[in-house]
């Protein structure tokens, strides 16, 4: 979701700009100390369920990070052509699943704020599965909960380690995002095909339909 459907600039702002200020104010320390402490925390918990948990971070840093996110929900924004892709998929009968590492609370407020829930046939947070998307166990749990054929699924994500986990499980049609955050420069290289705009996926879907028709 974040960095794929939604502009990752919001999360960059929350975690790299706002939280250091709030942490420094809460603990009476300098910004330099705050940034160094949070950076160490981030490195320690990156790519774990804790990394994505607002409850974990609230306890860890003694700042209500969910309330902080909701306070600045006006900064949550869709990536370009997000709705155009979702409308196309919906109109053409493709099942649309949202598999996200966002915890249930963060997922709920973003979907509600942007009125996106009605697009999806399945919505699953890694918090519910008990494993982050970076790991095969997430995909095993997702398939147990909502059966799907990995060979015929199309999966888009902005994080290469997540795509690696999906590949290890057997998902064949994998795509990365060239420009997850409008606050940063676009990526130049990736080990997976990169979508410049989300609607670029339509070309791949149409090609697959042609190949299926003439197979």
């Amino acid at each position: 979701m974040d960095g794929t459907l939604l502009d990752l600039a919001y999360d960059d702002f929350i975690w790299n700009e706002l939280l250091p200020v709030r942490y420094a104010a809460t603990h009476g320390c300098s910004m330099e100390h705050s940034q160094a402490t949070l950076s160490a925390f981030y490195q320690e918990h990156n790519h774990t369920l804790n990394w994505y948990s607002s409850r974990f971070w609230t306890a860890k840093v003694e700042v209500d990070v969910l309330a902080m996110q909701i306070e600045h929900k006006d900064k949550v924004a869709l990536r370009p052509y997000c709705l155009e892709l979702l409308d196309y998929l919906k109109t053409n009968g493709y099942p649309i699943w949202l598999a996200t590492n966002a915890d249930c609370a963060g997922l709920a407020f973003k979907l509600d704020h942007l009125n996106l829930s009605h697009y999806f046939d399945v919505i699953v947070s890694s918090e519910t599965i008990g494993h982050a998307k970076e790991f095969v166990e997430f995909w095993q749990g997702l398939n147990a909960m909502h059966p799907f054929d990995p060979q015929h699924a199309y999966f888009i994500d902005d994080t290469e380690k997540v795509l690696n986990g999906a590949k290890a499980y057997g998902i064949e049609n994998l795509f990365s995002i060239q420009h997850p955050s409008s606050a940063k420069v676009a990526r130049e290289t990736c080990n997976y095909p990169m979508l410049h705009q989300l609607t670029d996926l339509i070309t791949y879907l149409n090609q697959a339909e042609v190949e299926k028709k003439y197979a």
Side-chain angles (χ1 to χ4, degrees):
M1 180 175 69
D2 301 306
T4 301
L5 300 179
L6 309 187
D7 189 344
L8 199 62
Y10 167 79
D11 295 87
D12 292 337
F13 166 74
I14 292 294
W15 298 100
N16 299 325
E17 295 183 39
L18 185 58
L19 184 56
V21 173
R22 297 286 175 88
Y23 185 90
T26 298
H27 295 277
C29 63
S30 68
M31 276 295 294
E32 290 76 12
H33 180 80
S34 172
Q35 290 168 333
T37 300
L38 291 173
S39 178
F41 288 162
Y42 293 167
Q43 292 179 38
E44 179 183 359
H45 297 284
N46 197 12
H47 299 295
T48 69
L49 275 182
N50 284 342
W51 173 260
Y52 304 104
S53 171
S54 56
R55 284 182 297 179
F56 169 81
W57 286 113
T58 294
K60 184 74 171 177
V61 303
E62 299 180 41
V63 175
D64 189 334
V65 295
L66 179 61
M68 186 177 67
Q69 292 176 73
I70 295 173
E71 176 187 347
H72 292 273
K73 66 181 180 181
D74 59 299
K75 293 184 180 292
V76 178
L78 298 171
R79 291 192 62 253
Y81 299 99
C82 171
L83 294 183
E84 286 81 353
L85 175 61
L86 293 176
D87 285 331
Y88 176 87
L89 296 175
K90 202 73 171 176
T91 300
N92 287 275
Y94 288 96
I96 311 174
W97 292 21
L98 177 59
T100 180
N101 272 329
D103 67 353
C104 295
L107 170 63
F109 105 76
K110 287 179 179 178
L111 291 179
D112 180 65
H113 179 59
L114 296 172
N115 191 29
L116 287 178
S117 297
H118 66 281
Y119 281 105
F120 301 104
D121 301 281
V122 169
I123 299 175
V124 175
S125 164
S126 59
E127 183 179 41
T128 302
I129 300 291
H131 297 277
K133 290 191 299 180
E134 287 86 334
F135 301 97
V136 169
E137 289 83 357
F138 171 87
W139 302 101
Q140 293 170 338
L142 178 62
N143 208 338
M145 188 179 294
H146 302 283
F148 69 96
D149 182 352
Q151 291 185 330
H152 293 97
Y154 284 71
F155 178 61
I156 312 170
D157 202 274
D158 68 304
T159 302
E160 192 159 326
K161 286 189 176 183
V162 170
L163 292 167
N164 291 342
K167 181 179 180 180
Y169 181 66
I171 297 178
E172 295 185 1
N173 302 293
L174 299 168
F175 300 89
S176 184
I177 296 294
Q178 188 174 22
H179 201 185
S181 170
S182 62
K184 297 181 179 179
V185 298
R187 296 166 175 168
E188 294 184 0
T189 60
C190 182
N191 290 322
Y192 299 91
M194 289 192 293
L195 304 179
H196 175 61
Q197 303 293 1
L198 284 167
T199 46
D200 293 346
L201 180 68
I202 295 172
T203 300
Y204 292 95
L205 295 174
N206 288 340
Q207 181 60 38
E209 290 297 329
V210 169
E211 291 174 356
K212 183 170 66 175
K213 179 177 179 182
Y214 293 102

